Amino acid sequence: AERHPALPEVAGRRIAELGAGPGVPGLVCGKLGAAEVALTDKAELVPLMARNIELNGLSATCRGEDLDWPMALGSGLAVQRRGGGGEKAL
């Protein structure tokens, strides 16, 4: 995969795709060299995301997770749970 100059640089970054559905943008980030990609959506879509991750050979980089918005603060993706972030935003 090649990076288009109009897109943000994702190589080496940790990416979270919220409301991913099938996860196409997150999968592209994985192909473009993101260090880690979390694809999130409703629990019933996690199997679809997992299958797409597998089909694209991205199991080492990408993972599918359920993210229920009312419960989001308890998620491992929440800033409070990641030690305050400290990473530069895209």
Side-chain angles (χ1 to χ4, degrees):
E2 294 181 25
R3 183 172 114 45
H4 188 278
L7 297 175
E9 180 63 51
V10 297
R13 293 184 179 249
R14 294 171 52 202
I15 307 294
E17 182 183 355
L18 307 177
V24 174
L27 296 171
V28 170
C29 288
K31 290 286 188 181
L32 291 174
E36 181 181 353
V37 181
L39 308 172
T40 68
D41 211 315
K42 297 177 183 178
E44 59 266 23
L45 293 173
V46 172
L48 172 63
M49 293 184 289
R51 181 70 176 137
N52 287 340
I53 290 167
E54 180 185 333
L55 287 172
N56 284 279
L58 291 168
S59 296
T61 304
C62 299
R63 68 184 187 280
E65 294 187 15
D66 66 294
L67 181 60
D68 182 353
W69 285 102
M71 305 301 289
L73 281 178
S75 165
L77 296 173
V79 169
Q80 296 88 340
R81 302 274 307 238
R82 294 187 293 131
E87 292 183 32
K88 182 179 156 192
L90 291 177

